[in-house]
């Protein structure tokens, strides 16, 4: 019985999912913002919010990674994971748009 468990661990494959893609994109954005040269724009007062954006990007990447792990734990089939995670991403984007429109 232990041999089967060892074989399962050896056969672990990288499964690409929508939340993996989203977390990778936000990690790239965070690193890009960290490495970007910060120049004041114009003569008006300049407020640098890149630190906040880096923090939010890392936070979103972590949330996406944890959500992906939760989906993988409860949904065994890759096709169903793709459907559920795409639906999750679309609903999240729609909620952000609705909240943004209702605030302004």
């Amino acid at each position: 019985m232990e041999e089967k468990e060892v074989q399962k661990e050896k056969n672990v494959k990288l499964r690409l999912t929508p939340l993996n893609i989203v977390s990778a994109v936000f990690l790239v954005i965070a690193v890009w913002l960290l490495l970007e040269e910060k120049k004041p724009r114009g003569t008006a007062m300049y407020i640098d919010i890149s630190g906040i954006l880096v923090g939010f990007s890392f936070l979103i990447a972590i949330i996406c990674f944890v959500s992906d792990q939760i989906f993988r734990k409860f949904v065994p089939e890759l096709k169903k994971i793709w459907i559920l995670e795409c639906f999750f991403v679309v609903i999240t984007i729609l909620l952000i748009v609705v909240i943004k429109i209702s605030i302004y």
Side-chain angles (χ1 to χ4, degrees):
M1 191 166 202
E2 289 179 26
E3 271 184 43
K4 289 182 181 180
E5 290 177 15
V6 171
Q7 285 179 348
K8 278 186 179 180
E9 289 178 14
K10 287 182 181 178
N11 292 333
V12 174
K13 295 179 183 175
L14 175 67
R15 296 188 303 178
L16 190 62
T17 59
L19 288 177
N20 273 349
I21 296 168
V22 171
S23 64
V25 166
F26 276 100
L27 281 176
V28 168
I29 290 171
V31 170
W32 183 17
L33 287 172
L34 277 174
L35 300 176
E36 182 181 46
E37 185 179 331
K38 297 169 181 81
K39 297 186 251 180
R41 296 178 186 130
T43 58
M45 189 172 175
Y46 177 68
I47 300 172
D48 184 23
I49 62 167
S50 63
I52 295 171
L53 294 176
V54 168
F56 278 133
S57 297
F58 276 126
L59 182 65
I60 291 171
I62 290 169
I63 290 171
C64 287
F65 178 75
V66 170
S67 299
D68 183 51
Q69 297 306 312
I70 291 170
F71 276 115
R72 286 176 188 232
K73 176 87 173 157
F74 293 110
V75 182
E77 212 174 303
L78 188 61
K79 184 177 180 181
K80 289 181 182 178
I81 288 176
W82 267 86
I83 292 169
L84 287 173
E85 288 187 6
C86 284
F87 184 71
F88 178 74
V89 169
V90 168
I91 293 297
T92 304
I93 291 170
L94 287 175
L95 283 173
I96 290 170
V97 168
V98 166
I99 289 170
K100 191 169 185 168
I101 289 173
S102 66
I103 289 176
Y104 294 113

